[in-house]
Amino acid sequence: AVVSTQSGHYGRDLKKAFHMANEGGNRTEAGLASHRLGNIYEAVGDPEVATMYHKGFLDRCKRDKDQVGTGKAHEALARCQQSEGKLAEATENYKEFVKISEEVGDKTVYSQACSSLASLYNMLGEYGSAVEYYKKAAESMETDDKERLELMNISTAIARTHHHLASYATAILCNTAKLTATLVEWKDYRDDGFIQASRPGTRAESCLSGAETPAAATAPPEDTCDDKK
């Protein structure tokens, strides 16, 4: 309750500053006030109003050709849209945040942008894209931030596991000669050929639908250990 009251007082002061800046034609101050108002409404759980202020900040940053501010605005919009369940819009704004932070050349911000986009892809079940951006986040991190680097590596490993799971299960269930070979190759060299071989439209799909007989059912019986004694 104390935080809410403090935010309310701060918000009223910011609104006054926002209107005064607008009336005085000070676009920079108006933009900053708009961004901070958006952050306040976001913090108190009103993403709809927060989005309105963040969009105002984005418009001003674009007019002033402020790339850093534009990136912040896209990030803020993505957070609000994600909290509202507007995940497609949030994805596009995070992509813009990644693009702009890369152009600006701030490795720390770029790493954060990639990490945020990767987390959203992970939530959407797009694990291949999640792995891609978690890796980019890790590669662009400051080397002395060992704790965050470890977290990125763990997140990458979890996303990679989810990405491989369906194809791995398909390869095991079908048990065709080709899928078994690609799975063994992956085990030996971490080559992901079994993922491609297990995708829709391949022989694996025919196998699971019953149109193709698994290799174990058609192959000649092998010698058992008892037969070799």
Side-chain angles (χ1 to χ4, degrees), residues 5-229:
T5 302
Q6 290 174 342
S7 297
H9 290 316
Y10 184 46
R12 282 195 292 273
D13 290 340
L14 271 177
K15 280 184 179 179
K16 288 179 183 177
F18 174 67
H19 291 306
M20 288 173 65
N22 268 332
E23 290 170 3
N26 191 330
R27 293 189 307 181
T28 301
E29 290 301 321
L32 289 172
S34 183
H35 181 53
R36 288 167 184 162
L37 280 167
N39 288 339
I40 288 175
Y41 278 104
E42 186 182 345
V44 298
D46 194 340
E48 187 175 350
V49 176
T51 296
M52 178 185 72
Y53 282 110
H54 288 317
K55 283 182 176 179
F57 178 53
L58 177 62
D59 290 341
R60 286 174 171 81
C61 289
K62 284 183 174 180
R63 280 201 302 267
D64 294 341
K65 297 182 180 179
D66 176 3
Q67 276 193 298
V68 173
T70 300
K72 287 181 180 179
H74 280 297
E75 179 191 20
L77 283 169
R79 287 197 311 266
C80 291
Q81 289 158 348
Q82 187 170 346
S83 69
E84 290 184 287
K86 300 175 180 178
L87 302 184
E89 294 175 44
T91 301
E92 292 306 311
N93 273 300
Y94 274 133
K95 283 181 179 179
E96 286 298 317
F97 182 35
V98 169
K99 177 184 174 184
I100 291 168
S101 58
E102 185 176 22
E103 291 173 353
V104 169
D106 188 326
K107 287 188 176 182
T108 301
V109 176
Y110 176 67
S111 177
Q112 293 170 350
C114 288
S115 177
S116 296
L117 181 56
S119 296
L120 181 54
Y121 275 131
N122 203 40
M123 189 197 320
L124 291 168
E126 297 182 28
Y127 300 117
S129 295
V131 169
E132 176 188 351
Y133 282 96
Y134 276 135
K135 287 175 67 177
K136 287 182 178 181
E139 289 166 0
S140 57
M141 282 177 55
E142 296 296 332
T143 54
D144 59 345
D145 193 349
K146 294 181 180 179
E147 186 175 342
R148 189 162 182 270
L149 180 59
E150 184 178 357
L151 178 61
M152 285 299 99
N153 288 335
I154 291 171
S155 298
T156 303
I158 292 172
R160 187 186 295 277
T161 299
H162 285 131
H163 180 50
H164 287 356
L165 186 59
S167 298
Y168 181 85
T170 300
I172 293 295
L173 288 170
C174 282
N175 194 27
T176 63
K178 180 180 178 181
L179 286 177
T180 301
T182 54
L183 187 57
V184 170
E185 187 174 1
W186 172 72
K187 284 290 187 181
D188 282 343
Y189 306 108
R190 287 301 185 261
D191 178 270
D192 293 343
F194 79 96
I195 293 179
Q196 183 65 40
S198 304
R199 284 176 177 166
T202 63
R203 292 179 64 193
E205 185 178 48
S206 299
C207 166
L208 289 177
S209 66
E212 183 173 326
T213 306
T218 57
E222 298 180 358
D223 292 336
T224 64
C225 293
D226 292 336
D227 293 332
K228 294 177 181 179
K229 291 181 181 179

